Amino acid sequence: MPRRQGYALLIALVAGTAALAAVVAFTGSLLFSGPRAKASATTGPQGTARTPAAPAHSAGLWLATWAAAPVLGAADPNHGQDLVHRTIRNVVHTSIGGDAARITLSNLFGTQPLLIDNVTVNTRPVTFRGAPATTVGAGRSIVSDPVVVPVAADADLVVTLRTPTARGPVTVHPNSHQSSYVETGRGTWRSTAWRYLTGVDVHSPTATGTVVAFGDSLTAGTGSTTDANSRWPDVLSDRLNGRYAVVNQGIGGNRVLRHGVGPRALDRFERDVLGVTGAKTVIIALGINDVQGYPQEKDPQRITDALRTLTERAHARGLRVIGATLMPYDGYRSWTAAQNAVRDRVNETIRAGGVFDQVLDFDLDMRDPAHPDRLHPAYDSGDHLHLNDAGYQRLGSLVDLAGLVRVRPSSDAL
């Protein structure tokens, strides 16, 4: 299914039969029995899911096809106290396909245990250590058992779950630019937040690694068209055509040095990059919120030192690191000449080398030639900081595919 067809798949997925569910569950237990099934529900420190191996006696790899960085949400909006029988249909978009899937559910920001049941992936039932329901501890996450389900690349996937007794803070990814749905006894609401779901892995016989896009709103896709899947990591995924997975770990408002919307990059890097299944390369596009957000960072070296620290941590795990310069934002409400000078100094240090393995010069390519401190009008969403679909298309086209991994891909992958 082409990416641009959006979320029409949701309508086709609401039907299913009990007989199919029983057959799938039985088949899955046969194919994936053994050490992997037992390990899938374990969690690491701070609720970070461990990365298990592929199923025994099977060809291929487990790789993340989709992910969303978790953020603290308030008590779930729009639904009052009517949480009994609440069903959440998270619609996500895959980057690669496979013959089986497993999901990660997170209660990272919850303050009490979270009961989750009636979980399905494209109507196929999901289990946790063989059980149809699971309780995720406060501050923890859990990885499901593998479920035998065909997953198409570049397609919508529906992960449905119920939270019958949920109270308090919700672990969400807001401003997803994708339509999901929440159903209660009072009706069904469209939502642009993913709830409790933070990862989908697939067992892929063809893809060989995962590229993680680690950034802020400019990676998350602020300014892009909802349900068009036009964020720059989506564009990159289209170009890779299923050979490598691409997951988007951008959070709108996220910063390198300070907590704000989501934990600061220095703190979430372990979970949102190093903990991603099959990660081989990370593309870091962060720092503009440290420059322009309040309180504004006055020392460019603190930003570049922190970015260098992220690179060192990635190298310790064997990942390649590609980093982007900070794009212009003159005309945005927080722009000042003094802070623009901080941005320029950060970019000078990045271009000089020693921060990343490879540099993406987003600043140079996205600026207005007549006004270098401003975005090119053709790419500006209108607020002079975020991009429109054409701008994100341009960013996704700038990534050198051969430089994504240490070994150059074969020519047919490009």
Side-chain angles (χ1 to χ4, degrees), residues 79-208:
H79 314 304
Q81 296 302 311
D82 185 12
L83 300 178
V84 178
H85 305 302
R86 181 181 62 170
T87 297
I88 298 166
R89 292 189 176 91
N90 290 302
V91 181
V92 305
H93 202 83
T94 63
S95 57
I96 59 168
D99 52 26
R102 66 187 186 215
I103 63 172
T104 300
L105 301 177
S106 176
N107 190 27
L108 180 64
F109 297 103
T111 56
Q112 55 189 312
L114 176 69
L115 172 63
I116 300 177
D117 63 11
N118 291 5
V119 184
T120 62
V121 173
N122 280 4
T123 74
R124 302 289 179 92
V126 177
T127 60
F128 303 85
R129 294 185 176 178
T134 187
T135 297
V136 187
R140 307 293 290 179
S141 65
I142 192 166
V143 182
S144 75
D145 302 329
V147 54
V148 179
V149 57
V151 177
D154 191 21
D156 285 350
L157 185 80
V158 181
V159 178
T160 301
L161 57 94
R162 192 178 72 142
T163 56
T165 61
R167 292 292 187 275
V170 182
T171 299
V172 304
H173 181 91
N175 304 316
S176 69
H177 310 289
Q178 185 115 28
S179 295
S180 293
Y181 301 88
V182 178
E183 178 183 333
T184 73
R186 295 187 289 130
T188 300
W189 285 263
R190 176 180 171 272
S191 172
T192 56
W194 291 305
R195 291 167 170 83
Y196 303 114
L197 180 70
T198 58
V200 178
D201 297 345
V202 294
H203 182 250
S204 172
T206 56
T208 57

Side-chain angles (χ1 to χ4, degrees), residues 183-273:
E183 178 183 333
T184 73
R186 295 187 289 130
T188 300
W189 285 263
R190 176 180 171 272
S191 172
T192 56
W194 291 305
R195 291 167 170 83
Y196 303 114
L197 180 70
T198 58
V200 178
D201 297 345
V202 294
H203 182 250
S204 172
T206 56
T208 57
T210 301
V211 178
V212 182
F214 187 62
D216 48 38
S217 58
L218 290 161
T219 296
T222 297
S224 66
T225 301
T226 298
D227 296 318
N229 298 298
S230 55
R231 318 162 192 88
W232 72 258
D234 298 319
V235 176
L236 175 60
S237 178
D238 286 345
R239 294 176 62 211
L240 288 167
N241 197 29
R243 181 58 63 94
Y244 298 100
V246 179
V247 299
N248 188 334
Q249 296 285 44
I251 298 176
N254 199 230
R255 301 172 67 139
V256 180
L257 295 169
R258 292 178 181 269
H259 300 295
V261 182
R264 63 179 185 164
L266 286 168
D267 290 347
R268 71 183 184 96
F269 193 73
E270 176 73 27
R271 178 187 62 248
D272 294 345
V273 175

